[in-house]
Structures are given as structure tokens and as C-alpha cells.
Amino acid sequence: MKATAQAHPNIALVKYWGKRDEALILPHQSSLSLTLAPLAVRTTVEFGAPGEPDRVEINGRQAKGSDLDRVVRVLDAVRTESGLERGAQMVSRGDFPEAAGLASSAAAFAALAVAARAAAGLAPDTRVASILARLGSGSACRSIQGGVCVWERGTRADGQDSFARQAFSATHWPELRMLVAVVSREEKEVKSRDGMRHTVETSPYYAAWVKDAEAEIPRALDFIAHKDIEALGALAERNAWRMHCTSLAADPPLSYLQPGTLALINRVRRAREEGVPVWFTLDAGPNPVLLTLSAHEDAVERVAREAGAASTVRCYPGGDAVLLREHLF
Ligand code: PMV
């Protein structure tokens, strides 16, 4: 009745931005991401006595409000699947800054999904775990497996065909590097779930965003298959710009860009002109993530520091979410 899992976050190169179903977290378009090691979240779940309330601790604090609600939703889905009617205790710990432009929620809900299913005695199933993680946070469905994952948007109203699948394992392109450039540690003002809802509802560019992003997925897969970093980097940059343009066109406009973000993005372009193979992507926050290859990691880190990044986090392709023997309580 107790299990612990570890999962890595992921960074989308073709981003998810907008839900067609808010309750089930079903997206308007498919997305594609790279699982990021060494950053990880570890989560222990134990089912206790029937009727006990759920107790949820995230990074040393009792979870409240919508954070608690989202965890309970996932636990409820596991109780329904397994027929268990027991309260759960959950403790979760991440090793990277929260709300720093790189969602820790993806790793957290992936670890929760895997740990909770194992604690309930359910056999491992990446499809079911991905659907379960999605109920907590959309992007979490892409952290059940490692390497490159594609979240197929699906068309069913019940969301059973909306989950992520591994397209390439972490060993396909081990030289790939992603460097998180932290230009601001401030908590972002508009959470992604509010930002995407506002964008869907008010941006005149939204339909174009959906169509374009969907069409980029097969291209991204092809570039990854051929390890074409130039084409993949260009695709990642234009996809990030298009997501942010769609938000900037919302009413009122929504901008996640800060002066430090733009300074870094401009420096990345100059570095490329100087011969360093580096491209950026940007989630719903101020901190760009830089795409490069291992041979250029030091040069890219220097570029990020010169452009004002206070710190950087070096990441490489991560593996699947896994069960661990050691529990957090
Ligand atoms: O899953 P959420 O609610 O954290 O939303 C993630 C949205 C982006 O990070 C901006 C894009 C993505 O696909 O991860």
C-alpha cells in the first residue's frame, strides 16, 4: 500500500497551449517534448485506513487550495481504478526551483501517478499513467516516459485517447543538451492554466496557433530522427515565438517576457552568427531554455552568463519515471 516514484520534468519543443476541456485537461493540439535529467521530483504515496482524509505535503509544506485539489483528483482516479476506498498520505520533494519557467508540476504529477498506481497494487501501464498524470497537469502526461515524447491531442470526449507516448528513447540522441538560463527567480504572475484559458478565449491568432503547432509535430520528429540540430533548433524557436505571439495578441495582452528574457534571446541569435549552435525555447515564464549539443555546452553557458543569467541548470535527455525502493516517510 506504499510506493515511491521519481520522474523528470520535460521541456516542450512544440508546446501545449490551450485546453478544449478544462476539467479533463484535453488540449486543442498535440505537443512534443524532451524529458530532462538530472532534475527530478520524488513522491511517496501510502494508502491508509478507509475514510481517512488525504494528507498531502509538497516540498515540506501542507498542500492547500487548487494544489491539493489537483492531487486529490489524481488519487480519486486511482481509487476508482483500483476499487480502494482508503485515504492517502503523499509526500513529494523536487530538486529544482518551482515557478522558474520550468514547470515542476510535470515531474510532480508524473511521479504521483506512477507512485499512486503502484501503492494501490495496479500493474504498470504507461498509457494509463500518462492519462492519470494529465489530470493533474497537462504537460505531466509527457513525463511518464523518457527521451522524446509526443502527446497526441486525441478526439474523444472522455480523454482516453489523449496521452503521451515515447517517440525516441533517451539514448537516441545522448549529445542533446538543454540549459535552463535563470534570468528571473520571481514567481510568474499568470499561471499557465489561466494564461492559456485567456489566450483561447480572446486571442484572434488562436486558431492559427493550433493549426501550425499540429503541423510542426511530424517535422520535429523527422529532424530528431535525423539528429538535425539546426532544423530542430529553428523549429523550437519559431514554435516558442508563435505561442508567445498568440498570448501577446490576447485581450488584455499577456506577456511572459521580461527585459532579461529578450536580452538573452538576442544574445543567442548573435552567438549563432558567431558559430555557436544554440537555440532557445520559452515556456510560460521568463527563463529561456537553450538547446545545443554537448560539445558546445560550456560555450552556451558562457553566452547565458554574459547575457545576464544569474544561474544556469545543465540538462540532458532523461529516462522514464521509475519506482524507487527508498521511501520519503
Ligand atoms: O501543463 P501545464 O499546465 O504546466 O502547462 C504547460 C504549458 C507550457 O509549459 C507553456 C507548454 C508545454 O507544453 O509544456
Side-chain angles (χ1 to χ4, degrees), residues 50-68:
E52 255 182 32
D54 294 327
R55 278 173 297 151
V56 174
E57 184 195 302
I58 301 171
N59 292 330
R61 269 177 268 149
Q62 292 302 313
K64 293 189 293 246
S66 68
D67 288 342
L68 176 62

Side-chain angles (χ1 to χ4, degrees), residues 10-19 25 29-33 70 101-106 109 133-134 136-142 151 188 191-194 196 209 239 243-244 256 282-285:
N10 67 78
I11 184 79
L13 301 180
V14 179
K15 298 190 188 292
Y16 142 61
W17 195 244
K19 299 176 179 60
I25 312 197
Q29 28 86 214
S30 306
S31 52
L32 176 146
S33 60
R70 292 200 291 163
L102 192 64
S104 61
S105 59
F109 282 106
R134 195 201 72 218
S137 158
S139 55
C141 77
R142 299 185 312 237
W151 176 10
K188 63 190 172 197
K191 293 205 178 224
S192 52
R193 75 191 97 126
D194 299 324
M196 62 177 88
W209 153 258
N239 180 264
M243 181 193 115
H244 287 274
Y256 289 102
L282 186 69
D283 276 350

